[in-house]
Amino acid sequence: MIVGDPGRAELLSNLLDSPKLVNKNRGFLVYTGEFKSSKVSIATHGIGGPSIAIVFEELLMLGGKTFVRLGTAGALRPEIKLGEYIIPSGASYNPGGLFFQYTGDLTSVSAVPDYDLASALVNELGREGYKYTVGNVFSSDAFYAEDENFVKRWSSRGNIGVEMECATLFFLSKLRGAKSAAVLVVSDNLASGGEWISREDLEKSVINAAKSILTVFSK
Ligand code: GMP
């Protein structure tokens, strides 16, 4: 399981049996431990494509094969409420930068999650009765450039949320033959005035999602 925020990695390490802090270089906390006898790691991937790309590549070198990002996203639809979940069925991206550097041209690589892994997450969240929406997100590179035009542009292209890492994670997983998916807590809603979730509600939704993700890993 990979999370953007080191504080979240620390919080969620409490869900593991015998958690061990195995990295704190640059504040990218990584814990290993067990959940229902399955070995899992909870790693910090930081903010944005280049950051998650480095963490993903290094976890892969260390033997990681399946990656679930537990993150947050801003909703681009007014009907998606704070604290609910978005399970991405794909991630849109600007085809320059990191994507261009990896492929060397402007052809695209589908930034979609592993179907079976995403389905298992959908089933598990559904079994718990949590409210989720499956759909595309846009992986932005510019958090503070998200104005009204941005919301119109990206929601009219079929995206229901915005975050910053899923496209890179899904794209690199396709290039490297790894499995990845994501569960995103809706932390803010750009389509209904930009309101943000409270710290307590965010923590509750994050912990519930983490338990579901760990359950999927342990099956
Ligand atoms: O605060 C930025 C971090 O949270 C990034 O890691 C994003 O994936 C995620 N995030 C949550 N809400 C938003 C949002 O409204 N816009 C963007 N760009 N990122 C968001």
Side-chain angles (χ1 to χ4, degrees):
M1 178 156 68
I2 50 179
V3 299
D5 174 2
R8 193 170 302 151
E10 189 182 10
L11 172 78
L12 298 179
S13 68
N14 295 316
L15 299 175
L16 303 182
D17 294 326
S18 38
K20 224 168 85 187
L21 180 64
V22 294
N23 183 67
K24 53 181 182 177
N25 190 34
R26 291 191 180 229
F28 281 61
L29 304 184
V30 182
Y31 294 86
T32 59
E34 292 193 357
F35 186 82
K36 295 188 183 152
S37 311
S38 296
K39 279 193 161 181
V40 281
S41 298
I42 300 177
T44 309
H45 63 59
I47 292 183
S51 181
I52 197 171
I54 293 171
V55 171
F56 171 85
E57 295 276 32
E58 294 188 359
L59 290 173
L60 206 68
M61 288 172 203
L62 291 166
K65 290 182 175 60
T66 306
F67 301 81
V68 175
R69 160 165 149 72
L70 167 50
T72 55
L76 294 174
R77 297 269 194 273
E79 65 276 15
I80 300 180
K81 303 296 178 207
L82 302 184
E84 294 179 7
Y85 301 101
I86 290 176
I87 301 179
S89 51
S92 312
Y93 56 93
N94 288 313
L98 175 146
F99 302 99
F100 185 85
Q101 242 181 295
Y102 267 97
T103 57
D105 58 38
L106 280 174
T107 57
S108 74
V109 173
S110 292
V112 293
D114 178 80
Y115 181 82
D116 291 334
L117 185 57
S119 300
L121 292 166
V122 166
N123 290 340
E124 186 57 29
L125 264 73
R127 205 182 56 76
E128 289 288 351
Y130 299 147
K131 190 122 199 272
Y132 62 86
T133 310
V134 177
N136 273 307
V137 294
F138 171 61
S139 296
S140 164
D141 287 333
F143 183 82
Y144 285 109
E146 292 163 10
D147 56 13
E148 258 175 47
N149 284 338
F150 170 93
V151 177
K152 274 192 205 125
R153 164 178 292 189
W154 289 104
S155 67
S156 70
R157 293 176 178 179
N159 298 291
I160 64 168
V162 53
E163 51 79 81
M164 303 181 73
E165 297 85 13
C166 280
T168 301
L169 174 65
F170 299 161
F171 164 93
L172 281 181
S173 298
K174 291 285 173 283
L175 290 190
R176 300 288 188 239
K179 287 185 181 180
S180 66
V183 176
L184 307 171
V185 178
V186 177
S187 58
D188 52 301
N189 192 317
L190 288 83
S192 56
E195 46 170 347
W196 280 79
I197 195 170
S198 70
R199 202 187 159 82
E200 299 74 47
D201 287 351
L202 176 62
E203 198 167 298
K204 213 167 90 187
S205 289
V206 163
I207 291 173
N208 285 341
K211 287 180 183 163
S212 291
I213 293 166
L214 291 169
T215 301
V216 166
F217 272 127
S218 69
K219 279 184 177 163

